[in-house]
Amino acid sequence: CFGLISNEDVWANVERTWYSLQKMINIKNEEVVDYKFEINKSVESKNIKVTYKNLMIDDGNLIVEIDVDDSKFKPSEDFTQKQKEDWNLDKWVNRETFISLGDIEAYVNKEKRGILQTGQADYEYKSRNADGVTSIVSIIPLYEIENGFNVEKVDKDEFPYNIDKDRIYNIQLTTKKIHISAEMEPNEKVRYGGVVRSDWSVDLPIKGEDLIKATIKCDDYKINKNIKFEIDNLEKELYFESLYVSPIYAKLKFSTDIDGYNIGEKYHIEIKLENENGEEYQFDSMTAKFDDKKQSCEVEVEYKNIF
């Protein structure tokens, strides 16, 4: 692992193969297939059938594979004239469309968990298959509890990090919106054609021992090393804490001063992760948590483990 000091344009010109989460799970199927807890429950409403296929837990994240079958859904026939006008149906109804789920909420024993990272059809999988089904992967952080307008993280000795094998956990996945999007002309941005509102929710009472089996085993390496450097007469120090590795993800934790990964107005820090062959892991996301009292910033960089 190493840090790269770059301006805004350096990485923009690097061509990479993009791996969606669905593609990752397919590539790593042999490594994760035994973790998949089979659900196979379907809910149908407004001629759209949502099938929850299976779930896994990776580092506190609930990963759910879902199929959406809208082959019977005919907006041009079912909707009122006003809805057709509002949705501009005449502009997109005959084109290839694709599906994403909106606002999937997770409850564990009636306690609301997580902020949804939008469960949408991955780019390579946006087209329906021959049967009119779209495959979707949704990720919900079970380690977050919604408390009013605040989101709190659970302790490491609580669920989902600590699971009681003898307990029944009722996981409710609440889905009340499905977005139908139109594929526009080349060089145009994809835009939503409209939202179908109904209820495709499902209750999943699952034994703790089954959730333990569905929790992906990982390695959490302690690094505990500092890197110091100077650029444009600014001294910076990074403290690398740990590297988490699972078949699907790699997550690096480091901290720096309150400026975070920004260095003045010209530079910011990007962290690349490479394997022993010099091949680069796919960057997925970066989150920063600032502590004004300590004048420090904790950063977690997430990568897809494509190797």
Side-chain angles (χ1 to χ4, degrees):
C1 168
F2 59 91
L4 171 69
I5 308 302
S6 67
N7 62 30
E8 297 289 346
D9 301 319
V10 170
W11 278 13
N13 297 322
V14 178
E15 293 186 5
R16 296 186 179 88
T17 300
W18 181 257
Y19 292 85
S20 64
L21 185 56
Q22 179 71 72
K23 191 171 184 178
M24 279 294 309
I25 291 174
N26 291 345
I27 291 173
K28 296 300 186 71
N29 186 62
E30 289 186 7
E31 295 181 56
V32 301
V33 66
D34 291 336
Y35 294 110
K36 292 184 179 183
F37 176 80
E38 190 173 294
I39 303 171
N40 281 337
K41 285 191 176 183
S42 298
V43 183
E44 187 166 356
S45 181
K46 293 193 174 180
N47 286 330
I48 299 177
K49 183 168 74 172
V50 175
T51 301
Y52 301 86
K53 296 191 296 182
N54 58 68
L55 62 79
M56 298 179 287
I57 298 176
D58 186 329
D59 194 27
N61 286 306
L62 182 68
I63 301 174
V64 188
E65 292 187 86
I66 303 167
D67 279 348
V68 179
D69 182 350
D70 69 317
S71 57
K72 298 178 183 178
F73 182 68
K74 307 294 183 184
S76 58
E77 300 172 8
D78 299 340
F79 293 156
T80 66
Q81 186 61 37
K82 183 178 185 304
Q83 287 174 314
K84 294 177 186 179
E85 291 171 357
D86 290 345
W87 286 19
N88 298 312
L89 286 177
D90 59 324
K91 296 182 180 179
W92 63 266
V93 71
N94 293 321
R95 295 188 185 177
E96 180 181 6
T97 58
F98 65 98
I99 297 294
S100 68
L101 301 183
D103 300 336
I104 299 182
E105 298 175 345
Y107 294 80
V108 179
N109 298 333
K110 298 184 178 181
E111 185 175 57
K112 191 172 182 179
R113 294 288 180 118
I115 297 176
L116 172 71
Q117 298 179 21
T118 303
Q120 58 186 346
D122 294 304
Y123 182 78
E124 296 91 341
Y125 290 82
K126 69 182 181 183
S127 300
R128 299 172 176 85
N129 64 19
D131 297 320
V133 175
T134 304
S135 295
I136 292 171
V137 178
S138 286
I139 310 169
I140 302 174
L142 293 179
Y143 54 82
E144 294 180 340
I145 299 176
E146 186 170 303
N147 183 10
F149 292 102
N150 298 318
V151 175
E152 301 172 356
K153 289 191 175 183
V154 303
D155 294 330
K156 288 293 185 180
D157 60 351
E158 298 181 86
F159 180 86
Y161 300 110
N162 186 16
I163 300 173
D164 184 345
K165 68 179 181 65
D166 299 317
R167 185 178 180 182
I168 300 293
Y169 293 88
N170 187 63
I171 298 178
Q172 181 186 45
L173 300 178
T174 301
T175 304
K176 295 189 175 181
K177 289 194 293 186
I178 293 179
H179 300 285
I180 298 183
S181 306
E183 184 175 274
M184 308 302 288
E185 297 294 340
N187 301 321
E188 285 190 71
K189 291 184 177 179
V190 172
R191 69 179 184 186
Y192 283 131
V195 178
V196 185
R197 289 179 172 84
S198 189
D199 194 343
W200 297 271
S201 303
V202 65
D203 284 316
L204 306 172
I206 305 176
K207 295 179 182 178
E209 60 182 344
D210 289 328
L211 285 177
I212 291 173
K213 293 176 184 176
T215 301
I216 296 175
K217 291 182 174 58
C218 63
D219 294 301
D220 201 356
Y221 301 97
K222 299 301 179 185
I223 301 174
N224 297 330
K225 290 186 180 296
N226 286 43
I227 294 179
K228 294 182 180 181
F229 60 89
E230 181 179 318
I231 185 166
D232 283 0
N233 297 319
L234 293 172
E235 292 185 355
K236 298 291 288 186
E237 182 174 1
L238 304 181
Y239 171 69
F240 289 93
E241 179 183 337
S242 62
L243 177 66
Y244 166 95
V245 182
S246 80
I248 298 175
Y249 288 112
K251 299 180 183 180
L252 175 70
K253 291 184 179 180
F254 72 93
S255 60
T256 181
D257 58 37
I258 197 66
D259 291 331
Y261 40 83
N262 294 315
I263 305 175
E265 297 180 356
K266 294 172 60 179
Y267 304 98
H268 64 278
I269 297 173
E270 302 272 7
I271 304 294
K272 294 172 62 176
L273 195 69
E274 294 184 352
N275 65 11
E276 66 273 19
N277 298 320
E279 298 167 311
E280 184 180 341
Y281 290 77
Q282 178 178 303
F283 175 85
D284 195 47
S285 65
M286 180 184 289
T287 56
K289 181 180 179 181
F290 298 93
D291 189 325
D292 291 330
K293 290 183 179 180
K294 296 181 179 179
Q295 288 292 294
S296 66
C297 173
E298 295 180 353
V299 183
E300 180 173 287
V301 193
E302 187 172 277
Y303 311 83
K304 290 189 176 76
N305 185 1
I306 60 179
F307 305 113

